[in-house]
Amino acid sequence: MDFVRQYPDAYLRAASHAPIVTPDTLHSMNHDARSFWGWGNRAAALDPDQVRPLLAATLGDQVKWNNTTIPVPQLEQVSLPEPRLSAPASLAALARSDPFARASHTYGKSYRDIVRGLAGDFSLAPDLVMQPTTPSQVSEVLQWCSNTGIACVPYGGGSSVVGGTEARFPRDYSGAVSLDLTAMNRLLDVDLVSRTARLEAGILGPELETALRPHGLTLRHYPQSFEFSTLGGWIATRSGGHFASGRTHIEDFVASLDITMPVGTLTTRRLPGSGAGPSPDQFFAGSEGALGVITAAEMRLQARPVYRASTSATFPDLLSAVPAVRALAQSTLFPTNCRLLDAREANLNGVGDGSRAVLLLGFESADYDVTPQLQTAIDLVRDHGSVGIAEPQVARPGDPTKRDAQADQWRESFLAAPYLRDALIRLGLLAETFETAVPWDQFEPFHAAVTQATAAAARAVCGDGIVSCRFTHVYPDGVAPYYTVIASAPPGDRVAGWNAIKLAASDAILQNGGTITHHHAVGRDHRPWYDQQIPELFRRGLAASKQTYDPAGILNPGVLIDPLPQA
Amino acid sequence: MDFVRQYPDAYLRAASHAPIVTPDTLHSMNHDARSFWGWGNRAAALDPDQVRPLLAATLGDQVKWNNTTIPVPQLEQVSLPEPRLSAPASLAALARSDPFARASHTYGKSYRDIVRGLAGDFSLAPDLVMQPTTPSQVSEVLQWCSNTGIACVPYGGGSSVVGGTEARFPRDYSGAVSLDLTAMNRLLDVDLVSRTARLEAGILGPELETALRPHGLTLRHYPQSFEFSTLGGWIATRSGGHFASGRTHIEDFVASLDITMPVGTLTTRRLPGSGAGPSPDQFFAGSEGALGVITAAEMRLQARPVYRASTSATFPDLLSAVPAVRALAQSTLFPTNCRLLDAREANLNGVGDGSRAVLLLGFESADYDVTPQLQTAIDLVRDHGSVGIAEPQVARPGDPTKRDAQADQWRESFLAAPYLRDALIRLGLLAETFETAVPWDQFEPFHAAVTQATAAAARAVCGDGIVSCRFTHVYPDGVAPYYTVIASAPPGDRVAGWNAIKLAASDAILQNGGTITHHHAVGRDHRPWYDQQIPELFRRGLAASKQTYDPAGILNPGVLIDPLPQA
């Protein structure tokens, strides 16, 4: 859910007339400052009472929220299962089993996760959290787990919204270790000539960009989880990036990977391109910790953009904007931003009066003025039915102050959205998102079916509910729609309530030609639909690879593929 | 070897003052019109005597060629081994065992292949050539082969230059079948909205573009083998495409694959993008017929370009041009053409006097004037040391005649280059190419080492030899250099002679950070270096997949990975 992703400005004003979240609170990398049940840093949490005016202004009476607020859980009152493990002496220095470490490594950050955390349900807590600082320590942990039948869950920033880091396994293990990679967070090497950098995989987004900045380079990969997710996590889940078109997925920027497996380690050859057999880097991108632990990566970087040009265009509704967006996607103009909000999503974000869909359009470059590209795009959008185009905003190297202020404001507010989601849940709302991709020719019936199935399920479960849609990424042959669901919290078991809605939405996605995930990954939650989606023979090949790399079946069991039953 | 790739015009004039190869002779798709020992169609072969003036004008006394000409082999005089197989009755209609079919499916099109063909050595001829017309026939062939221990070599256009289609196996089989897919050559479906098409994998390049043209779409994938290679072959070998930058590899354009394996068939879900686990399409791209037979693919297409702008820029030498090329590659301008020829390669192609390196630079678009992009690129190249920039050539929709004439001339001449290579070999020359990719920071020492090792080996083996270089593809983080070797034919065993040169070149490539192949594939010839290049654990995972998909180990044995020894 990123309620305020597109128009943070409006959100921030509505909520408090002043920024709620400051850079200081956002960027604290002190792990013990983190919330153990919700998003990010404790100090940055939003007071639900601050959010009520925003809800009144945007949701009106479409969904109902509570006058009371669910209190945050207190760590002292949380009961954790007795740990079943203690680390061997050689690994003891890496191990933590204190309640904070265990509770904060229990869940990811989906609606289900926040609900369970708020309820103080940490029954799936890992027995131990291990924080290695070297690949050989990772190897030692994996060998200990393999030899003693302990499940090992690789953990980066813990921002999974698909159960990817949860100790929920398809068979019994003697214990569960959360393998936290965030102590491996160094920039190892920068190549200014090739514009690449070798980085440890546990580096968090802000640490990574901070380390690159002195070299004038940037990865420019900004998932909404940017602050609390890691390079290795991005690669393991094929994270979707900043750019709305062209090369944007994290795997497009991988030049080499270091991977540690129970059976050994491998380093792929660092190359700009290669036709030598199936790509190892592509194979391990998306392996979700089930085939190995990514410990380092050589990444392709970019110069920092200094030219920007952007505008917004309105359309009567989402479907009437599709021809314009498709034309842009097929134009080879490669807009950096090409995000279409339906009228409801625009309204939720304070853009216009909710009667129009809005297309946000932007270009950026480190090398040349992108105004001509924007003008070409504007002509194209006007030819394809836009009913209004805003005055273009242009930034050039001569005006750095203006540029940076805009960029900073965008980033801070964008990053604050998950805090807002936690506040909505505390107000008794269900707030969740799901995302997919589908070819253009199938989009219209797909969108109708998914929206209808999801809204009907929300009404059946919650008694109300709204579903909005935006496009996060566009391709020449299709689009990645991103859906937001807001409803009154399901009565009774809120997790089961959301599961019923998710089931309806996911079935509609699969039945109408979509993918169960465009960039959120498979994890445990998407497994039933992933199993339908991938060819059975490919699954068998993957399973054979897993058996080769992880013969004891201890690596993130149940994510992507099930390990073979233990002999 | 594509001697005349860049400046075909000069070649054609030097050789005969008139086009040697006409569109009629080039585009014949009659398989029985093909040469059984060399490139393409028999009727299009070049008379070596026509080529002598070109050699005198370009090579001078740098290498020596013969006054006599090696005669072409006559099929009647070729002795083929007795076929060990006859097809079962249910497959008899697909099988050919006549000498032409067997001889023409024996080799690919490397120097080694042409030399053996000219010598009438067809000892590796397959026992049968099978030409299925449906995926279920492919499946029947694979099951027959699996059940009876016959090796099956998938065969598209037969243009491999790495031994990819040769019946040379790491263990014994009861026979060898060449599985020729070219009868599966239909356009199955076009989606004009998503701009994709579903095509059978055996469709040859010209057939594919001819089928798409009425729909206003193009794949724009033009390897030099375009006329005599297939879509399935391109995907199986991760073929490198037309564009010098940006998305250009064939796998970038795959939306879905149909694959037939001995254990069954699979179809990947057609999607514009997906983050659901490792990509199946990426996994089978580059599988070289060792994991399955690609029978169909859904491909992402483009509108035909109508705006073009191009120029050429000169530099003192190759190394002095590298900063300009690197700046272009890192600029996100994404030039369509960005090919740098060293001074020798420029001279061989009749461009200038051989004292300068030449950068060919071009942009194209279906949607907008690309003159601004070219101008930005020209400014950038001038700032980075170009000593001369030609008058830009611009084509817009208003001047289609001029544009088409240029494009046609380029294409015909580019496609004729392999015919020239055959003529050079008949004149007693060694003519071969190899290609690789390497990060920018390593290019200078890499290039020195590879050039030196190759030239030294050529002198040692042949007594003379020249090595030239051009860049075929550029990336933000590196470059794909393409080397041409021309020397007097090795005395004695010409295949062994070339092998010694190839060994020196390949060792230098691996030792200096390159890949053994950027777009020619691994096949059998690159196996020793591929085995060094890929991580051992990735190789073991691949082997596990192969064992899953092809338990009898009959699919293209020895390409990429060895099948397990037969139990």
Side-chain angles (χ1 to χ4, degrees):
Chain A
M1 212 296 289
D2 52 352
F3 200 62
V4 296
R5 178 170 180 166
Q6 300 300 346
Y7 278 83
D9 200 3
Y11 152 63
L12 289 174
R13 277 199 308 276
S16 71
H17 300 279
I20 294 168
V21 180
T22 71
D24 288 348
T25 51
L26 276 174
H27 295 309
S28 166
M29 289 298 113
N30 175 354
H31 290 210
D32 287 334
R34 297 273 288 271
S35 167
F36 71 88
W37 63 271
W39 186 256
N41 288 332
R42 287 194 300 279
L46 287 186
D47 179 350
D49 289 333
Q50 283 187 288
V51 176
R52 292 183 192 278
L54 173 70
L55 293 183
T58 54
L59 297 181
D61 57 3
Q62 297 178 95
V63 300
K64 287 180 283 295
W65 59 95
N66 294 342
N67 291 323
T68 56
T69 301
I70 301 172
V72 301
Q74 301 301 311
L75 191 60
E76 307 73 46
Q77 296 160 354
V78 164
S79 105
L80 293 163
E82 274 303 301
R84 296 167 289 177
L85 303 174
S86 60
S90 64
L91 296 171
L94 317 179
R96 284 181 66 172
S97 59
D98 57 285
F100 178 79
R102 291 179 65 208
S104 62
H105 286 77
T106 304
Y107 297 123
K109 297 292 182 277
S110 70
Y111 173 71
R112 285 185 265 234
D113 299 333
I114 306 302
V115 162
R116 288 182 291 179
L118 276 174
D121 171 7
F122 289 87
S123 54
L124 291 177
D127 299 286
L128 281 181
V129 176
M130 308 286 276
Q131 293 186 298
T133 58
T134 66
S136 70
Q137 289 178 346
V138 173
S139 182
E140 270 190 84
V141 172
L142 296 187
Q143 284 171 46
W144 173 54
C145 291
S146 290
N147 293 338
T148 55
I150 300 165
C152 179
V153 179
Y155 188 99
S159 66
S160 174
V161 290
V162 294
T165 58
E166 183 174 313
R168 176 159 46 95
F169 308 128
R171 62 170 166 86
D172 286 339
Y173 289 84
S174 60
V177 162
S178 180
L179 184 66
D180 183 324
L181 279 298
T182 53
M184 294 173 65
N185 63 348
R186 291 177 303 159
L187 169 63
L188 298 171
D189 192 33
V190 177
D191 173 358
L192 295 175
V193 175
S194 310
R195 285 196 189 160
T196 59
R198 187 168 153 76
L199 296 138
E200 288 185 322
I203 194 166
L204 291 159
E207 296 174 331
L208 180 150
E209 288 294 338
T210 300
L212 294 176
R213 191 168 294 119
H215 304 284
L217 294 171
T218 170
L219 181 60
R220 271 190 111 42
H221 188 79
Y222 299 116
Q224 190 162 33
S225 61
F226 174 73
E227 278 193 291
F228 300 103
S229 57
T230 61
L231 175 61
W234 300 340
I235 298 169
T237 59
R238 294 173 68 196
S239 169
H242 166 69
F243 297 98
S245 68
R247 294 198 187 271
T248 183
H249 288 272
I250 193 71
E251 66 265 30
D252 293 332
F253 301 98
V254 171
S256 165
L257 291 176
D258 285 13
I259 298 177
T260 297
M261 299 164 167
V263 294
T265 64
L266 68 82
T267 297
T268 65
R269 197 167 181 90
R270 176 194 166 206
L271 292 167
S274 176
S279 163
D281 293 331
Q282 290 285 344
F283 182 68
F284 291 109
S287 57
E288 300 196 16
L291 301 179
V293 178
I294 298 167
T295 59
E298 180 96 20
M299 300 302 297
R300 300 173 183 137
L301 306 172
Q302 300 165 57
R304 308 186 77 78
V306 290
Y307 298 92
R308 292 166 212 266
S310 61
T311 190
S312 62
T314 51
F315 294 84
D317 55 27
L318 182 90
L319 292 183
S320 66
V322 164
V325 175
R326 191 175 68 235
L328 282 167
Q330 294 177 341
S331 72
T332 69
L333 282 167
F334 298 120
T336 306
N337 197 2
C338 184
R339 288 181 168 88
L340 177 65
L341 314 180
D342 71 9
R344 175 168 276 159
E345 184 119 359
N347 182 235
L348 287 173
N349 288 284
V351 183
D353 60 4
S355 68
R356 293 275 189 273
V358 178
L359 174 65
L360 304 171
L361 196 52
F363 293 84
E364 63 178 40
S365 171
D367 307 292
Y368 49 89
D369 185 8
V370 288
T371 317
Q373 276 78 2
L374 181 66
Q375 194 52 56
T376 304
I378 287 173
D379 293 345
L380 189 150
V381 163
R382 187 177 288 122
D383 290 348
H384 286 80
S386 172
V387 295
I389 296 172
E391 186 68 22
Q393 300 293 309
V394 176
R396 297 192 178 89
D399 190 7
T401 310
K402 183 183 169 200
R403 186 197 74 224
D404 283 344
Q406 289 177 328
D408 287 351
Q409 183 178 343
W410 169 273
R411 192 177 66 239
E412 301 308 340
S413 306
F414 172 56
L415 299 175
Y419 291 109
L420 175 63
R421 197 269 298 267
D422 289 355
L424 298 187
I425 296 172
R426 292 183 60 203
L427 288 168
L429 287 170
L430 179 158
E432 186 55 297
T433 63
F434 59 90
E435 40 79 67
T436 179
V438 69
W440 284 118
D441 66 305
Q442 295 165 48
F443 174 71
E444 196 167 326
F446 174 91
H447 177 66
V450 170
T451 304
Q452 196 278 331
T454 308
R459 281 192 302 273
V461 169
C462 307
D464 60 17
I466 58 171
V467 180
S468 61
C469 178
R470 68 165 187 275
F471 294 172
T472 61
H473 298 81
V474 296
Y475 299 89
D477 55 328
V479 59
Y482 192 103
Y483 293 93
T484 297
V485 185
I486 300 178
S488 302
D493 183 337
R494 284 177 293 166
V495 171
W498 167 250
N499 285 349
I501 302 169
K502 176 77 173 176
L503 176 76
S506 300
D507 282 351
I509 285 172
L510 263 279
Q511 286 159 16
N512 289 277
T515 171
I516 192 58
T517 178
H518 173 263
H519 60 266
H520 280 175
V522 175
R524 293 173 176 83
D525 297 350
H526 284 153
R527 269 296 299 283
W529 298 277
Y530 178 67
D531 289 348
Q532 293 173 44
Q533 175 172 332
I534 57 162
E536 166 60 15
L537 287 176
F538 183 65
R539 194 195 60 70
R540 281 168 51 190
L542 264 190
S545 291
K546 180 170 175 72
Q547 182 67 15
T548 303
Y549 299 144
D550 173 27
I554 55 96
L555 270 174
N556 217 4
V559 158
L560 280 188
I561 36 177
D562 290 336
L564 297 182
Q566 195 72 330
Chain B
M1 215 293 293
D2 52 352
F3 199 63
V4 294
R5 179 170 179 164
Q6 301 300 347
Y7 278 83
D9 200 2
Y11 150 61
L12 290 174
R13 278 199 307 275
S16 70
H17 300 278
I20 293 168
V21 181
T22 70
D24 287 348
T25 52
L26 276 174
H27 295 311
S28 166
M29 289 298 113
N30 175 356
H31 290 210
D32 287 335
R34 298 273 288 272
S35 167
F36 72 89
W37 63 271
W39 186 257
N41 289 331
R42 287 194 300 278
L46 287 186
D47 179 349
D49 288 334
Q50 284 188 287
V51 175
R52 292 183 191 277
L54 173 70
L55 294 183
T58 55
L59 297 181
D61 57 3
Q62 296 177 94
V63 300
K64 286 180 284 296
W65 59 94
N66 293 343
N67 291 323
T68 56
T69 302
I70 300 172
V72 300
Q74 300 303 309
L75 190 59
E76 306 72 46
Q77 294 161 355
V78 165
S79 103
L80 295 162
E82 274 303 301
R84 294 167 291 178
L85 303 173
S86 59
S90 64
L91 296 171
L94 317 179
R96 283 181 67 172
S97 59
D98 57 285
F100 178 79
R102 292 178 66 207
S104 62
H105 287 77
T106 303
Y107 297 123
K109 297 292 181 279
S110 69
Y111 174 70
R112 285 185 265 235
D113 298 334
I114 306 302
V115 162
R116 288 182 292 179
L118 277 174
D121 171 7
F122 289 87
S123 54
L124 291 175
D127 299 286
L128 281 181
V129 176
M130 308 284 277
Q131 293 187 298
T133 58
T134 66
S136 71
Q137 289 178 346
V138 172
S139 182
E140 269 190 85
V141 171
L142 296 188
Q143 284 171 46
W144 172 54
C145 291
S146 290
N147 293 339
T148 54
I150 298 166
C152 179
V153 178
Y155 188 99
S159 66
S160 173
V161 291
V162 294
T165 58
E166 182 175 314
R168 176 160 46 96
F169 309 127
R171 62 171 166 86
D172 286 338
Y173 290 84
S174 60
V177 162
S178 179
L179 184 65
D180 182 324
L181 278 300
T182 52
M184 295 174 65
N185 63 347
R186 290 177 302 160
L187 169 63
L188 298 171
D189 192 33
V190 176
D191 173 359
L192 294 175
V193 175
S194 310
R195 284 195 189 161
T196 60
R198 188 167 152 76
L199 296 138
E200 289 186 322
I203 195 166
L204 291 159
E207 294 174 330
L208 180 151
E209 289 294 339
T210 300
L212 294 176
R213 190 167 295 119
H215 304 285
L217 295 170
T218 170
L219 181 61
R220 273 192 109 44
H221 189 78
Y222 298 116
Q224 189 162 34
S225 60
F226 174 73
E227 278 193 291
F228 299 104
S229 56
T230 62
L231 175 61
W234 300 341
I235 298 169
T237 59
R238 294 173 70 196
S239 168
H242 167 70
F243 298 98
S245 67
R247 293 197 187 273
T248 183
H249 288 271
I250 193 72
E251 65 266 29
D252 292 334
F253 301 98
V254 172
S256 166
L257 290 176
D258 285 12
I259 299 177
T260 297
M261 300 163 166
V263 295
T265 64
L266 70 81
T267 297
T268 65
R269 198 168 180 90
R270 177 196 165 205
L271 292 167
S274 176
S279 163
D281 293 330
Q282 291 284 346
F283 182 66
F284 291 109
S287 58
E288 302 196 14
L291 301 178
V293 178
I294 298 166
T295 59
E298 181 97 19
M299 300 303 297
R300 299 173 182 138
L301 306 173
Q302 300 165 56
R304 309 185 76 78
V306 290
Y307 298 91
R308 294 167 209 264
S310 62
T311 189
S312 62
T314 51
F315 294 84
D317 56 26
L318 182 91
L319 292 182
S320 67
V322 164
V325 175
R326 192 175 67 235
L328 282 167
Q330 295 177 341
S331 73
T332 68
L333 283 166
F334 298 120
T336 306
N337 197 2
C338 184
R339 288 181 168 87
L340 177 65
L341 315 181
D342 72 8
R344 176 169 275 159
E345 185 120 359
N347 181 234
L348 287 174
N349 289 283
V351 183
D353 60 2
S355 68
R356 294 274 189 273
V358 178
L359 174 64
L360 303 172
L361 196 52
F363 293 84
E364 63 178 39
S365 170
D367 307 293
Y368 50 88
D369 184 7
V370 289
T371 317
Q373 278 78 2
L374 181 67
Q375 192 53 56
T376 304
I378 286 173
D379 293 346
L380 189 150
V381 163
R382 188 178 286 120
D383 291 348
H384 286 80
S386 172
V387 295
I389 296 172
E391 186 67 22
Q393 300 294 309
V394 176
R396 298 192 178 89
D399 190 7
T401 311
K402 182 182 171 201
R403 185 198 76 223
D404 283 344
Q406 289 177 328
D408 287 351
Q409 183 178 344
W410 169 274
R411 192 176 67 238
E412 301 308 340
S413 306
F414 172 56
L415 299 175
Y419 290 109
L420 174 62
R421 197 268 299 266
D422 289 355
L424 298 187
I425 296 171
R426 292 184 59 204
L427 288 168
L429 287 171
L430 180 158
E432 187 56 295
T433 64
F434 58 91
E435 40 78 67
T436 180
V438 70
W440 284 119
D441 67 306
Q442 295 165 47
F443 174 71
E444 196 168 327
F446 173 91
H447 176 67
V450 170
T451 304
Q452 195 278 330
T454 308
R459 280 193 302 273
V461 170
C462 307
D464 60 20
I466 59 171
V467 179
S468 61
C469 178
R470 67 166 188 275
F471 294 173
T472 62
H473 297 80
V474 295
Y475 299 88
D477 54 329
V479 60
Y482 192 104
Y483 295 92
T484 298
V485 185
I486 299 178
S488 302
D493 183 338
R494 284 176 293 165
V495 170
W498 168 250
N499 285 349
I501 301 169
K502 177 79 174 176
L503 175 76
S506 300
D507 283 350
I509 285 171
L510 264 281
Q511 286 160 15
N512 290 278
T515 172
I516 192 58
T517 178
H518 172 264
H519 60 267
H520 279 174
V522 175
R524 293 173 176 82
D525 296 349
H526 284 153
R527 270 296 301 283
W529 298 278
Y530 178 68
D531 288 349
Q532 292 174 45
Q533 175 172 332
I534 57 163
E536 166 60 16
L537 288 175
F538 182 65
R539 195 195 59 70
R540 281 168 51 189
L542 263 190
S545 291
K546 181 171 175 71
Q547 181 68 15
T548 303
Y549 299 144
D550 173 27
I554 55 97
L555 271 173
N556 218 4
V559 158
L560 280 187
I561 35 176
D562 290 335
L564 298 182
Q566 196 71 328

